[in-house]
Amino acid sequence: MEGGGRVSWMKYGPVVSLFVVLLAVWFRSPQNEVLDDRLDTVLSSLLRAERKVGMNNVARPRVAVGFGGCVDLIVDGVSLLNKIGLPPTDQPLHHDYIENAEQLAQSFAYFFAPGAAAERFMLNDTLFSELVEASRDLPGNRWSVGGNAPVMAGRMATEGCEVLLGGSFSPDFTDVLSQHITVAGNIVEEPDIHLILEYPSGASWGHYISRRANRYIIHSDDHNPYLASMEEFAEKLEDFNPDLLVVGGLQMMDSFPFQSGEREALLSRLADLLSSSSPQIGVHFEMASFVEESIMEDLLHFVIPHADSLGMNEQELPNLLSLLKGSNITVLSDPNPRVATVLDQMREVYRILNQHYKDANNASEEGETNSAKAKGKPLTRLHVHTLAFQAMIVTRGSQWKNTMSATAKASLTANRHVCGSNDIDPSKARLIMDDSFSVSRREGSQRIPLQETRPVSCWEEEDYEICVAPVLVCTEVYQTAGGGDNISAAGLVLQI
């Protein structure tokens, strides 16, 4: 009897299995088809919005980007820590800088679990060298052009711009740059190496599990903090005649052991450079991972007042806002914020910075000061890039144009960069933005539905326009490092 049952199962088992599979496909396919159709429609609509503004048959926009650069050594973060025998810590802690292996474990765990991007200076040269050597032998490691300025310059050249790049690089480094990038800076024999510890969503390290894909960056860079290329960059700037000036890479100064007054002197020279540029030239400042309050205060004094445009991610926005409101720096914020939360924070940053500009202007008119360095510029553009969506605030009547198309392009670039392909594959993407969102956390605020055929939502408030676009979040991550730089640069290209 038992033998007969076994023969029957062997005889009919494959048929039953096929029936179960067909049944599963029958029940699942309509929902999957709807999701696939929805992604396809959102993608084609975003591509159509991006193409509304072409770069053909026009002179290449001229963009000057500073400062610095490095070589990124990209590895799987958990594999590296396992290779050097660094066990998971029981104490995830924030450290402004890293002095030993225990602090590295604590700092990595602190950001790894929520999946928040972070960058830290390592004071311990010996430990950093050991990490680099271990990374060289790690399977799957990759070398890449790194640093905010070179990455943004590379994206802008790819998108059709002529670029002046301020940085001191090795000949090998400059050889791999686009022919549309001109370097202003010294030649160095060996570039600085930055270690990029990448990890995917759901990665585990001990009992820690990452909520989203991201990276933890460590460096022991003692060249880039000094903005060594600034003098030559300034000399070439006038003849280059840019349409846009972009400043990034200043997080290299964060927690760096400068002599007293040294950093302030460097940033004061940068302020002179920015204030002496033509008022018609747009100035964009790309934020980064800052943890030292004193450098944030220096940026608020020397750099941010001279920028018409700011770019940042979901961690850097509340960090800046907290400092503007007189509170402490927020080291770690929600890595997946709601649209309404981000828009409210953006409105506050926009309002406070423009109030600062008005106050400085009023002081100038009353005779207290009369210099461009003191007055600065009003903030007319604010771009925040998150995992789920892109959001922009642009002042009506300002020099920034094509906001809807720029927001769409920023969204598409997020997927292109993280997936490592210019061709977007909907089967390797998903939407995590809500089907509708509130424009504010205030009670009674309007809700805007996500329309697949018009996924970029734009509306006007006060003296500005707001645009929000969903991101087709890459599910097969190639690289997260450099994401913000690529996204910001791509958005800017269509607006100058």
Side-chain angles (χ1 to χ4, degrees), residues 116-178:
E119 183 169 358
R120 291 295 178 271
F121 177 71
M122 184 168 277
L123 277 172
N124 188 327
D125 290 339
T126 303
L127 175 59
F128 186 76
S129 297
E130 290 171 359
L131 289 166
V132 170
E133 289 310 307
S135 298
R136 289 181 191 274
D137 301 329
L138 209 59
N141 71 12
R142 286 184 291 110
W143 296 86
S144 173
V145 170
N148 303 76
V151 171
M152 293 188 80
R155 171 57 65 177
M156 288 176 146
T158 298
E159 300 292 351
C161 297
E162 206 67 42
V163 183
L164 176 67
L165 171 61
S168 299
F169 309 121
S170 67
D172 289 343
F173 189 102
T174 54
D175 285 347
V176 300
L177 296 176
S178 163

Side-chain angles (χ1 to χ4, degrees), residues 272-450:
D272 288 336
L273 170 64
L274 299 177
S275 62
S276 62
S277 64
S278 167
Q280 281 71 47
I281 299 173
V283 176
H284 174 83
F285 174 53
E286 189 65 24
M287 291 281 291
S289 179
F290 293 100
V291 293
E292 193 181 357
E293 283 197 17
S294 60
I295 189 172
M296 284 292 289
E297 288 164 356
D298 285 344
L299 294 173
L300 285 172
H301 180 71
F302 291 110
V303 180
I304 291 175
H306 302 290
D308 327 89
S309 170
L310 297 176
M312 62 198 73
N313 67 20
E314 78 288 337
Q315 298 291 312
E316 295 146 12
L317 173 65
N319 197 2
L320 174 60
L321 179 58
S322 179
L323 206 67
L324 285 171
K325 294 169 76 173
S327 301
N328 296 328
I329 273 181
T330 56
V331 176
L332 183 62
S333 300
D334 183 357
N336 294 294
R338 309 299 288 267
V339 177
T341 301
V342 169
L343 292 180
D344 282 345
Q345 291 171 340
M346 290 174 72
R347 290 181 185 101
E348 277 201 270
V349 167
Y350 180 88
R351 179 185 59 79
I352 293 171
L353 287 177
N354 279 314
Q355 188 58 53
H356 286 183
Y357 167 75
K358 289 173 186 172
D359 292 344
N361 242 0
N362 290 338
S364 172
E365 288 170 7
E366 290 167 9
E368 293 178 26
T369 179
N370 194 31
S371 70
K373 186 176 178 180
K375 288 195 296 183
K377 291 180 165 187
L379 179 67
T380 52
R381 181 183 182 274
L382 179 56
H383 177 191
V384 175
H385 34 87
T386 80
L387 178 68
F389 60 90
Q390 305 291 318
M392 286 193 194
I393 286 181
V394 173
T395 305
R396 284 196 304 275
S398 64
Q399 80 260 42
W400 311 107
K401 53 191 180 182
N402 309 318
T403 305
M404 189 273 286
S405 293
T407 311
K409 188 174 189 68
S411 171
L412 293 165
T413 303
N415 180 285
R416 289 167 179 151
H417 174 76
V418 176
C419 274
S421 171
N422 285 329
D423 297 320
I424 296 175
D425 183 350
S427 70
K428 298 177 182 177
R430 64 189 178 110
L431 289 169
I432 62 174
M433 183 172 147
D434 294 335
D435 288 342
S436 67
F437 61 89
S438 292
V439 300
S440 172
R441 294 180 67 187
R442 291 192 297 271
E443 192 174 342
S445 293
Q446 176 191 4
R447 288 195 72 83
I448 295 180
L450 172 58

Side-chain angles (χ1 to χ4, degrees), residues 258-278:
F258 285 106
Q259 297 295 316
S260 177
E262 202 171 15
R263 185 176 67 201
E264 292 83 353
L266 287 167
L267 290 174
S268 181
R269 282 170 50 206
L270 176 56
D272 288 336
L273 170 64
L274 299 177
S275 62
S276 62
S277 64
S278 167

Side-chain angles (χ1 to χ4, degrees), residues 32-51:
N32 285 352
E33 280 179 18
V34 169
L35 289 174
D36 290 345
D37 288 347
R38 188 178 189 222
L39 280 172
D40 285 340
T41 305
V42 170
L43 174 57
S44 61
S45 301
L46 286 171
L47 289 168
R48 191 167 58 250
E50 178 188 40
R51 286 194 297 265

